[in-house]
Amino acid sequence: MRPAFPVLARKFWWTVTVQDGAGPPISNSPGRPDKWLPQTEEFRVFGKKLVKNMIERSAENATDRRRFLQSAGALGLGVVGASAIGKASLAQPAATEVAEAAAAAPSDGAVLNFALNLEYLEAEFYLHAVTGEGLPDSWTTGKGTRGGVTGGYEVPFQSPIIKQYAKEIAADEKAHVAFLRKALGSAAVSRPKIDIRDSFTAAARAAGLIGEMDTFDPYANENNFLLAAFLFEDVGVTAYKGAAPLITNKTYLGAAAGILAVEAYHAATIRTSLFEKGMSGPVKKLSAARNMLDGPPLDDQGITNFGEANINPTDNNGIAFGRTPGHVLNIVYLNPGQVSKGGFYPQGVNGEVHVSG
């Protein structure tokens, strides 16, 4: 059965075409003229809300708010209406806002467990691709319901270089699992049920990579493997970027930043490999599917802009995109709605953060 998210294609189609360079540019950064944005009233209104949200989430007090607002103007974000939100943003009592934010935000442990769920998925995908086996059973226990893994076998790599890339990434993802489990101790969640077979077919059908009756096997060849890896890696980068503001412990924050950097290296490696193989067409379809799943803002790009390489997906200021945990779950659950399971996690992820949207 075809997943629900393709029905959003018409509503959000502009978010797909813009990232490949379509539409007139507005307020392009002098340093990044290749990053184009849609010149529509819908985008300008959204931009105001985005900057307001950035200010509210990034500032701890009124002074920080003012500094952020000034920086936003200096970076060219004033075009989306910084002045319209400045007074309201700066006038709120700092103590009340901080208290409300602290009460609503998940704990550091919850955020790290959310990351651990994602690392379980990536580790299982890559380890199966290079060894034919997944994580040791002793690495998959913990709080919540422990699940098995459906799918996965060793990829018949044709290129020794691509195989080396895959082996290195697999080792990194396995190390991430070990690190997070150690950091969380007895609070670590167990590996949830993971599907790395049928979920890829569902995603590929919905993205238009294959027909309604066809199947997509990410382990059949290295091209399929790279496309499947692309589906994960950009999500991993944006997930850690989006989760970083939620972490209060500096030690954990530093570790998360380190993992984010490694995930970015992985994403660049996969994107470069796909670019060198001339696979921008299918990549664009997968990027469009992710954009439709999590909706606005514009947080996904293919590997080309007007035929030129776009290895590092960034905004006009050269800053990597971030996704909220809920938006990340929209993608891995393969559902644009507010749900608690689906896609790569048939029974959902374990832990406090488990609902998409």
Side-chain angles (χ1 to χ4, degrees):
M1 181 176 180
R2 187 179 180 128
F5 64 82
V7 300
L8 300 181
R10 292 181 182 175
K11 182 177 180 182
F12 296 120
W13 185 246
W14 61 271
T15 69
V16 176
T17 57
V18 165
Q19 296 300 349
D20 200 46
I26 62 169
S27 299
N28 280 328
S29 170
R32 299 305 303 271
D34 57 318
K35 304 295 183 180
W36 286 28
L37 299 175
Q39 191 170 8
T40 65
E41 183 62 26
E42 180 180 1
F43 180 80
R44 283 191 287 270
V45 172
F46 164 70
K48 294 178 183 178
K49 295 179 180 178
L50 173 62
V51 175
K52 183 175 184 294
N53 183 54
M54 290 168 67
I55 293 173
E56 290 176 346
R57 292 187 58 190
S58 299
E60 293 183 356
N61 53 51
T63 300
D64 287 342
R65 283 189 183 287
R66 295 188 183 93
R67 289 173 179 169
F68 187 93
L69 188 59
Q70 291 169 355
S71 298
L75 291 172
L77 294 178
V79 70
V80 298
S83 61
I85 61 175
K87 293 182 179 180
S89 297
L90 301 179
Q92 294 294 326
T96 301
E97 291 183 355
V98 172
E100 291 177 351
S107 66
D108 286 356
V111 174
L112 293 183
N113 266 322
F114 173 71
L116 179 56
N117 279 283
L118 299 179
E119 295 295 349
Y120 280 138
L121 175 60
E122 289 188 299
E124 293 291 357
F125 169 72
Y126 283 108
L127 286 172
H128 277 87
V130 299
T131 69
E133 299 179 352
L135 290 166
D137 287 343
S138 60
W139 289 34
T140 63
T141 59
K143 293 183 176 296
T145 303
R146 179 176 176 272
V149 178
T150 300
Y153 60 92
E154 191 170 353
V155 174
F157 291 100
Q158 294 179 316
S159 166
I161 294 178
I162 299 298
K163 185 174 183 178
Q164 287 182 40
Y165 293 160
K167 289 177 65 177
E168 182 178 4
I169 295 175
D172 289 341
E173 303 298 2
K174 185 177 180 180
H176 291 169
V177 170
F179 170 79
L180 289 172
R181 285 178 59 84
K182 182 177 181 180
L184 287 161
S186 61
V189 295
S190 61
R191 180 193 63 199
K193 185 176 183 180
I194 289 175
D195 185 326
I196 46 178
R197 184 187 64 192
D198 298 337
S199 54
F200 280 112
T201 291
R205 286 178 181 173
L209 288 184
I210 58 176
E212 288 293 327
M213 303 304 294
D214 298 326
T215 59
F216 180 86
D217 184 350
Y219 301 95
N221 53 68
E222 69 181 26
N223 284 357
N224 282 12
F225 163 79
L226 288 171
L227 289 172
F230 170 79
L231 191 61
F232 285 149
E233 287 301 341
D234 282 5
V235 176
V237 174
T238 58
Y240 277 99
K241 168 72 183 304
L246 303 176
I247 300 175
T248 59
N249 182 286
K250 290 186 177 181
T251 299
Y252 289 160
L253 181 59
I259 296 178
L260 167 60
V262 173
E263 296 293 347
Y265 286 136
H266 294 171
T269 299
I270 297 301
R271 292 173 71 95
T272 300
S273 299
L274 287 164
F275 178 78
E276 291 175 342
K277 283 176 169 284
M279 297 178 67
S280 62
V283 166
K284 180 180 177 181
K285 293 180 178 180
L286 288 173
S287 177
R290 288 192 306 218
N291 245 331
M292 287 184 287
L293 279 169
D294 69 355
L298 304 175
D299 51 15
D300 218 294
Q301 295 174 349
I303 55 175
T304 58
N305 264 329
F306 301 102
E308 298 293 323
N310 184 44
I311 303 303
N312 306 311
T314 67
D315 64 13
N316 282 5
N317 302 300
I319 298 175
F321 298 109
R323 286 186 171 96
T324 66
H327 282 171
V328 171
L329 290 175
N330 281 133
I331 296 174
V332 296
Y333 285 167
L334 299 180
N335 193 311
Q338 193 173 55
V339 297
S340 59
K341 62 182 179 180
F344 296 95
Y345 298 97
Q347 300 302 319
V349 298
N350 285 320
E352 178 184 331
V353 182
H354 63 278
V355 178
S356 64

